[in-house]
Amino acid sequence: MHRRLALLSTLALAVGSAAALLPALPATAAQAQPPAGASAQPSAGGLVRGSVRGQVAVPVRGQGQTPARGSAAARPKPAQHAAADSAGERRQVVRYWTEARMEAAEPLNPPNPAKGTKVSPADVRAPSTAAAPSIAAPTAVAPAPAAPARQSARSGGAAWTGGGAVVRTTGRIFFTTQGRNASCSGSAVTSANKSVVITAGHCVKLNGAFHTNWVFVPGYDKGARPYGTWAATKLLTTPQWDASEDVDHDMAAAVVAPLDGRSLVDVVGGQGVAFNQPRRRQMYAFGYPAVAPYDGSKLVYCSGRAFDDYLLSDDLGLTCDQTGGASGGPWMVGFDESTGLGTLNSVNSFKYGFAPNWMFGPYFGNEAQAVYQSAQTSGVL
């Protein structure tokens, strides 16, 4: 025990503190909704397709996908917390978020990864610029004793100028936590109730307490809210994040109330969402980083092939220099730059202090799937 503690202390000194990107998913999947008018038909791999606005896509049993940790029967129930669940509370929350408060919201510092080390301190080294590993089936723990080989990212962090659905479905999240206002990022996803936002666990709960005054602002632009301000009625996260704030399960969902009689997906559309998928795939990560050199005013993206964290977590990694405020922003596979549609398969979660150009996000397995299923079948009022 003393030897392990000494090893952990030495590694902590070698890599620095992990900093999250706050204010700064056997196999089923729901596919991002293509242009309006397309019929909802199951496709290969269990992906269901619908329209960008107003058409529900419901997950179906996938074919030929690799199951991950745990069985569906043993899937743990997510933690749930009531948010603004009355009309009066929602009005108060929306009024609270003035432009000045949104612009002044700042990132937080969530807990560091707390798992045992998977390598020795001598194996810790700076990021490699070698080619990416080939695509492989999911693994719970990457046993590699050296730094992961990776390809250079197509984008390590640049303003998204491609337009498409992603500029409507991605947005900033604002909330109050421990007496201060903060921000994250999140994404509207296709769901049975058309009202689900996927984000990181620490964007709904941190240091043992759920956040308050929680709203989602899709398409945020320097204080402008082109698609409105959506107040949460319910917040959900994995039991692992709820119990011990485990970064391997740093995933959450919010159910938001209708706005002016319309549901979120009816207004902005919804990205697909998938669980228990192969690792080390080409991915796009989006968010609203708000710490220099970013200011929270622009949608920023990174793209490249994901790698496995070989240090303190079982998360996916990506070359990405997004900063605080990007937490909870979507990681998507199968992203189409021409339409801005993809399939959400992780979220921005944390960074190690020694590697500011590495971003990590949780593997979406059964626990994340349970959060999504509970959220999409929840009543919105």
Side-chain angles (χ1 to χ4, degrees):
M1 176 63 72
H2 293 297
R3 182 179 180 182
R4 184 182 179 190
L5 290 174
L7 177 60
L8 287 171
S9 299
T10 304
L11 180 60
L13 291 174
V15 303
S17 309
L21 304 178
L22 258 150
L25 230 162
T28 58
Q31 174 67 2
Q33 300 166 323
S39 60
Q41 296 292 335
S43 63
L47 305 183
V48 177
R49 305 177 187 277
S51 66
V52 170
R53 295 183 178 89
Q55 200 163 8
V56 177
V58 181
V60 298
R61 181 69 58 185
Q63 299 294 328
Q65 295 168 329
T66 306
R69 296 163 284 187
S71 65
R75 191 176 299 142
K77 294 183 178 180
Q80 303 187 29
H81 177 77
D85 55 359
S86 72
E89 286 179 299
R90 290 191 291 276
R91 286 193 297 269
Q92 183 176 357
V93 167
V94 172
R95 284 197 300 266
Y96 178 82
W97 286 110
T98 62
E99 179 179 342
R101 284 189 171 127
M102 289 190 296
E103 287 293 286
E106 296 181 351
L108 302 177
N109 293 317
N112 298 337
K115 294 177 66 66
T117 61
K118 295 190 287 187
V119 294
S120 70
D123 291 319
V124 177
R125 61 188 68 179
S128 167
T129 57
S134 58
I135 295 176
T139 55
V141 177
R150 300 174 296 108
Q151 70 179 20
S152 295
R154 292 174 56 190
S155 167
W160 176 255
T161 59
V166 70
V167 302
R168 300 188 302 273
T169 58
T170 313
R172 291 189 74 179
I173 291 167
F174 297 95
F175 53 87
T176 302
T177 179
Q178 297 181 331
R180 56 181 287 192
N181 294 330
S183 72
C184 272
S185 300
S187 178
V189 296
T190 183
S191 56
N193 59 16
K194 306 181 185 180
S195 302
V196 175
V197 176
I198 296 293
T199 186
H202 65 262
C203 297
V204 304
K205 182 181 181 181
L206 189 61
N207 297 326
F210 279 91
H211 306 322
T212 60
N213 294 327
W214 202 101
V215 297
F216 176 59
V217 184
Y220 182 88
D221 184 11
K222 298 180 181 178
R225 306 174 234 193
Y227 307 106
T229 304
W230 301 76
T233 62
K234 182 182 292 186
L235 303 174
L236 307 92
T237 190
T238 61
Q240 293 88 348
W241 182 262
D242 181 59
S244 60
E245 299 186 350
D246 181 351
V247 295
D248 283 352
H249 302 279
D250 185 15
M251 177 269 186
V255 180
V256 297
L259 187 61
D260 299 326
R262 303 180 70 192
S263 297
L264 177 64
V265 171
D266 287 336
V267 175
V268 302
Q271 299 292 345
V273 58
F275 307 89
N276 294 320
Q277 300 297 298
R279 301 170 75 103
R280 305 182 191 176
R281 301 176 68 183
Q282 193 75 16
M283 304 187 85
Y284 282 70
F286 291 87
Y288 280 89
V291 173
Y294 305 104
D295 62 4
S297 65
K298 295 179 180 178
L299 180 62
V300 173
Y301 83 104
C302 303
S303 64
R305 190 172 300 278
F307 58 91
D308 295 333
D309 183 12
Y310 66 103
L311 292 173
L312 302 180
S313 81
D314 293 335
D315 284 12
L316 308 175
L318 194 65
T319 298
C320 188
D321 72 354
Q322 292 190 55
T323 60
S327 277
W331 288 28
M332 289 186 275
V333 295
F335 182 77
D336 187 334
E337 292 186 347
S338 65
T339 64
L341 290 168
T343 302
L344 198 149
N345 197 219
S346 186
V347 294
N348 296 322
S349 176
F350 77 95
K351 283 189 171 184
Y352 291 109
F354 87 105
N357 292 326
W358 283 359
M359 171 96 71
F360 293 91
Y363 178 80
F364 273 18
N366 289 330
E367 296 84 356
Q369 184 179 359
V371 171
Y372 168 72
Q373 294 285 22
S374 294
Q376 75 157 345
T377 55
S378 291
V380 296
L381 296 176

